[in-house]
Amino acid sequence: MISIFANIMFGVVHINNVNGHWSSLIMYIVMGVWLQLVYIWGGRNIWQNIMTHMVYNGSISLLMIFSVIITMFFGK
């Protein structure tokens, strides 16, 4: 029960990332579940969660930068 609450809270904390669209909350709840599984499978080591979160955020940032560059050179 507490696990479900924690994952919903993870989604609620990140709701500003999707401009307050509650339908996008599911994506962050799933990410919360994934981070929870990483924590459990990793021997309850918080650093694996931190690194997983950093890799996720970094990959999203790189994709955004890449799309801006592509748009600048090939967009209208």
Side-chain angles (χ1 to χ4, degrees):
M1 184 65 171
I2 196 76
S3 172
I4 294 169
F5 177 73
N7 293 323
I8 290 172
M9 289 309 298
F10 183 83
V12 170
V13 167
H14 289 85
I15 195 70
N16 286 332
N17 295 358
V18 290
N19 297 325
H21 295 269
W22 287 94
S23 59
S24 298
L25 186 69
I26 294 170
M27 174 181 71
Y28 286 102
I29 292 173
V30 170
M31 186 65 180
V33 170
W34 175 250
L35 288 172
Q36 184 177 24
L37 290 173
V38 167
Y39 178 73
I40 291 169
W41 293 335
R44 302 192 185 284
N45 183 355
I46 192 68
W47 286 104
Q48 289 181 335
N49 268 31
I50 292 169
M51 294 306 293
T52 302
H53 202 288
M54 287 175 61
V55 167
Y56 176 77
N57 288 347
S59 64
I60 296 298
S61 297
L62 286 175
L63 284 172
M64 289 174 58
I65 291 169
F66 183 69
S67 68
V68 168
I69 291 170
I70 294 297
T71 303
M72 285 174 46
F73 287 109
F74 300 108
K76 292 183 178 184

